[in-house]
Amino acid sequence: MKNILLTASVMTMLGGAAFAGGYNKPVVESPVVAAPAPVVTQNTDWTGFYVGGDVGYGKPNGELKTDGALGGVNAGYLHDNGSYVLGGELAYNAAHMDAGDAGKVKNMTDLKLIAGIPTGKLMTYGTLGASYVKADLGNDSHSDTVPLVGVGVKYALDDHWAVGSELDYRKGHDFDGTGDSLNMTTLAATVSYRF
């Protein structure tokens, strides 16, 4: 009997020590679910000098009613500030807009400021500047500097090449003091290489 009481006492002490802190519910950790990575649209950096070319179509309004092809080269510089792009461009276009005896547009040299908004690989922009236009009105050659405004879009194919399109309007009221108007709308496809 003595052994039974001794064994019972030892078991009670061991059992009491085991439950001294009370019952603790085991901690079950919830599985870790990784959040999807955010979609980041990285803008192309448009900063740098570039050269390019264009081909397109032009239509003068006013006394010289004709239309035709144009093509040329351009060079410029853009500075990308992250949320907007600023720069300038010098462009030369030869034209084949011949209205017979009424005259023809020979060429245009444009100097323009560019302001654009980049979105990923795409940049939409506006232009403001001046265009030096050479044209024949009747049998006489004339030239004049006229205001120019435009809108365009460029798409970056990679870090260097871009393609796009540009719509320009030139206001040639009283062209070269002749009293004739030579207003002209041109639309061109462009390609450029940025250094």
Side-chain angles (χ1 to χ4, degrees), residues 36-42:
V39 177
V40 177
T41 302
Q42 185 174 357

Side-chain angles (χ1 to χ4, degrees), residues 150-161:
V151 293
V153 62
K154 287 183 183 279
Y155 180 80
L157 299 174
D158 57 27
D159 289 339
H160 298 288
W161 290 99

